[in-house]
Amino acid sequence: MAGHYQIIKYLGGGGFGQTFLARDSHLPGNPLCVVKQLKPQLNQPQALETAKRLFEREAQTLYRLGTHDQIPRLLAHFEQDEEFYLVQEFVEGQPLNQEFALGQKITESEAIALLNDILQVLAFVHQQQVIHRDIKPANLIRRRRDRKIVLIDFGVVKAVSTPASNLYGATSITVAVGSPGYMPSEQQAGQPYFSSDIYAVGMVVLQALTGLSPTSKQTSQRLPRDQYGEFSCTLLRDRMTIHPGLATILDKMVRYDYRQRYRDASEALQALEQFRQDTQGDEPITHPQTLVVPTTHPQSPITDHQTPTLPLSSPQTLDEPEGQVSLNSSFYVERPPVESDCYNAILKPGALIRVKAPRQMGKSSLLSRILNYASQQGYRTVCLNFQSADAEFLTSLDQFLQWFCASVSWNLGLDDRLDTYWRGILGSKNKCTDYFQRYLLSETTRPLVLGLDEVDQIFQYPDIATDFFGLLRAWHEQGKNQAIWQRLRLVFVHSKEVYIPLNINQSPFNVGIPIELPELNPVQVWDLVQRHSLDWQPNQVEELMSMTGGHPYLVRVALYQIARGKMTLEKLLQVAPTEEGPFYDHLRRHLLNLEENAELVAAIQQVVAANQSVEIKAAAAFKLRSMGLVKFQGNAVTPLCQMYRRYFRDRLKN
């Protein structure tokens, strides 16, 4: 290969390519090296240029990482016959998966040394702003000459091999890279963090200590989880003997929630060093019975695939339960598979995502995370909240579209060029299309993700709404065939409580990916209870669920009030369905909306008066569900929660 790399033998391969042991005939002594052949799965001729650019960029990263003694040096990289090759230093030694195959478990002192060795090199990687993404025993080689651990096979170079590479330099690299068992949930969803590597290291060390694998098909040979889906050293006390301090470190490394792990390798290394200082001179543990690790969660009958998390806040650090949940907040609870579906969808050319739910269900919080994820992929992002549009711009379509174009330009940091494109005899919609196609989308080949929040505001102006949403629908259709319009990705956020008689074939509300936000389930509510540092029993969670129905805003308000010491759970349950309680504004808004429609008043009266689900007219049932007041049980409906049942039964009895 390349005229001087003579292949000696095949070492292995997978979905991304093959690896060979080779000799370099151009160097004295013909030293051994490793040649990696990457095979991009490219369906479009133009994508080869993108793959070349990505390959060059990732190779430069490997050159930089190779300056560390425990990372193989990159000796060369080249492209030949539309395939890509990396030539790296050959490391003589044995991968850890071969050591593990012998069935010999390591001791506590060996585990500390192994953990320290891996974290030392990983700290360097993280300092270079690189996430490895594929740490597993096979990618950790114990070098023969000094017994040090060498980290190999960086997932970063696999960007050029994923089928998702496209014309615009976008790649779903984070979706495709990783190994089951060592890859945490957020990485599987396509959003890895430095703490994702920490999880993988923790799993490797637990495997080394116990001889159990995270991927074994035999239950008896697989690392166990507790009833909440967490890995814990408490479950392994009959398989290993370690100090409780080390167990605490390992437990934190493999937490399900990435925010509860160490942020990066440097932080984990610091914790390990502190543990070593604290235990210096201690006798090594020789009896499994001495391993005592406090249980993370109280016993609970709640079971689900989702995992509650640990308390993250004191009352002094609680977020106000209002408006959008910030990106760095510990009080945002994911509702799988909503987030991962959105992240995967936004990577697709010409994507259109429609997020709809009743008010205060977390729509804007989800939008901010979609845009943040897109930004991490190198996309340009803009978020427009239509509540910020001055009334003067809503008097005519022409003025509104000019505001729309100018607002997008300003958010992108671009000059306003309305004077250039907003002239001539073309209509407003054609001018707006021209502005996007010839200016905003032509400025760069990077995709533009446009998040439109509170689009309900436009529904109040039917003439503008019909033309504007019809225009967006036309752009989405153009994206099916025209490359430049595939750069535009749209995310709409609107409340289901607002209705507009749009022509369904001219609006964007029957195309794209529909995302409906559900209420929180019991496990997710339990999660939030823990994050508010409340020491509750399962029956208390059940009582809160019954009163709030899992409505995210209602749950947040309730927990905030209790965590701040403003009232007890018992007091809250007593006043919740009254205007004395903390939900007064929420309940009053629904009451005023209902009183504007006599048919809905009659329907909700019938629903809250019954002790079981009842069938009402389909149109009324749909509207009440869109408002979030009821839930379906077959074709019948019942109040979403006891709060709604008791409040509306009392307020509407006359």
Side-chain angles (χ1 to χ4, degrees), residues 396-463:
S396 75
L397 179 65
D398 187 72
Q399 286 184 303
F400 173 76
L401 292 180
Q402 287 190 58
W403 169 84
F404 178 64
C405 290
S407 297
V408 174
S409 301
W410 183 82
N411 277 274
L412 290 173
L414 299 175
D415 294 333
D416 175 353
R417 295 188 181 177
L418 291 176
D419 290 342
T420 301
Y421 293 96
W422 224 270
R423 58 187 181 184
I425 62 173
L426 291 176
S428 300
K429 291 193 291 184
N430 285 328
K431 292 174 183 175
C432 186
T433 299
D434 198 38
Y435 191 91
F436 267 77
Q437 181 168 333
R438 295 176 58 194
Y439 180 35
L440 297 181
L441 296 178
S442 297
E443 187 72 13
T444 174
T445 58
R446 289 190 298 146
L448 168 60
V449 181
L450 191 56
L452 306 180
D453 201 0
E454 298 286 355
V455 299
D456 318 353
Q457 300 299 312
I458 309 302
F459 293 172
Q460 302 174 44
Y461 305 88
D463 292 339

Side-chain angles (χ1 to χ4, degrees), residues 191 258 306 332-336 339 343 520 524 531:
Q191 193 168 9
Y258 70 91
Q306 302 170 53
Y332 180 83
V333 176
E334 292 190 352
R335 284 169 269 185
E339 287 79 8
Y343 298 153
L520 300 177
Q524 291 160 346
R531 297 189 193 196

Side-chain angles (χ1 to χ4, degrees), residues 496-510:
K496 292 166 61 177
E497 298 177 28
V498 184
Y499 306 94
I500 182 172
L502 291 176
N503 183 329
I504 199 66
N505 295 315
Q506 295 178 353
S507 78
F509 295 105
N510 69 332

